[in-house]
Amino acid sequence: MHRNPQKISRERMVREQIAARGIRDAAVLRAMSTVPRHLFVEEALVSQAYGDYPLPIGYGQTISQPYVVALMSELLEAQKGMRILEIGTGSGYQAAVLDAMGLDVYTVERLRELYFKASSLFMRLRLLSIRMKLDDGTLGWPEAGPYDRIIVTAGGPEVPEPLLEQLADPGILVIPVGAERTSQRLVQVCKQGGKVTMDTRNSVAFVDLVGKHGWL
Ligand code: SAH
């Protein structure tokens, strides 16, 4: 029988890096077993695509470690059909995972080159329902809101106020926040009945969220 080596690496990644570390959300595990992560990294790095680390994607940016993608996706506590806003499209991998989870994805990237690269990859993979915008995502995407879920995949000094405003009630927002650059804690923000609560989770190291409500 023909064995697809990328599929084998992907299933191993999900088993050893994700399920073994306690991720239980079936939709997350399923999505990460199907999205071809090796197509979201630079050609020279394809053999490392399923490794247990982040990888450079050019322009000083990175595609997150698989476990961090899984953890943030699980912290969203999302259900199929929900509308989600992602800030920081980057390679497009996280957006593709959210799409594979059955979510209605809106994603914003501030760097033109990465925006166009992700856009052509989505075309190639026929991920035509992912909506994209080239802009400062700390301002959100108000015209398409409110969003049931918001995920920020770059680290900022605080939770951007426009994103809190564009979060539906009930709604959940997940973001890496840190007073210093390069080191943050994942924060799960829940809005319910007009009240906002914040739960601080794992330590992470994301690239900078750059913008009006991020690092300047
Ligand atoms: N989710 C991405 C992670 C990319 S790294 C992936 O799966 O590959 C974070 C990305 O956030 C970078 O591409 C960076 O350019 C982008 N970014 C930083 N600040 C931003 C902002 N204010 N608005 C939109 N994108 C931003």
Side-chain angles (χ1 to χ4, degrees):
M1 198 178 87
H2 179 70
R3 285 160 68 83
N4 175 344
Q6 307 294 358
K7 187 162 187 285
I8 292 169
S9 306
R10 198 151 59 233
E11 282 167 359
R12 185 167 173 200
M13 168 191 87
V14 169
R15 210 168 47 244
E16 296 178 0
Q17 300 171 36
I18 298 174
R21 292 187 184 133
I23 302 295
R24 292 281 168 269
D25 186 324
V28 173
L29 298 174
R30 211 176 315 114
M32 292 192 64
S33 321
T34 55
V35 177
R37 180 171 165 96
H38 60 283
L39 300 182
F40 291 82
V41 305
E42 287 171 11
E43 224 153 274
L45 299 174
V46 165
S47 65
Q48 297 174 61
Y50 295 98
D52 195 10
Y53 33 71
L55 286 169
I57 54 171
Y59 312 96
Q61 309 305 323
T62 55
I63 176 174
S64 304
Q65 179 191 9
Y67 173 67
V68 172
V69 172
L71 178 63
M72 291 183 86
S73 303
E74 181 167 81
L75 286 175
L76 288 167
E77 299 176 26
Q79 269 122 48
K80 224 177 148 111
M82 283 183 165
R83 178 182 291 239
I84 182 161
L85 174 66
E86 179 198 27
I87 308 307
T89 314
S91 68
Y93 178 66
Q94 174 78 67
V97 168
L98 297 168
D99 178 78
M101 288 167 63
L103 307 178
D104 188 12
V105 183
Y106 292 75
T107 182
V108 184
E109 171 58 52
R110 66 178 280 274
L111 294 180
R112 179 172 293 275
E113 294 84 354
L114 291 174
Y115 168 86
F116 283 112
K117 211 170 162 193
S119 163
S120 62
L121 184 56
F122 291 159
M123 291 282 206
R124 190 178 145 203
L125 298 176
R126 307 312 277 163
L127 299 178
L128 304 176
S129 53
I130 298 177
R131 267 141 301 188
M132 309 179 72
K133 188 178 181 181
L134 176 63
D135 202 356
D136 172 6
T138 66
L139 302 170
W141 187 340
E143 302 79 15
Y147 305 93
D148 304 302
R149 300 292 184 261
I150 299 179
I151 179 172
V152 183
T153 60
E158 61 188 19
V159 181
E161 193 55 42
L163 298 185
L164 263 188
E165 281 162 20
Q166 291 165 41
L167 185 64
D169 186 347
I172 298 178
L173 180 160
V174 177
I175 179 174
V177 177
E180 280 169 45
R181 294 178 127 128
T182 72
S183 120
Q184 309 93 15
R185 301 287 298 272
L186 275 184
V187 177
Q188 186 195 45
V189 182
C190 296
K191 193 193 262 190
Q192 181 134 43
K195 275 200 220 126
V196 173
T197 54
M198 302 210 189
D199 193 0
T200 302
R201 315 291 281 249
N202 307 40
S203 295
V204 284
F206 273 83
V207 296
D208 288 352
L209 177 68
V210 179
K212 184 153 187 265
H213 300 269
W215 298 107
L216 291 171

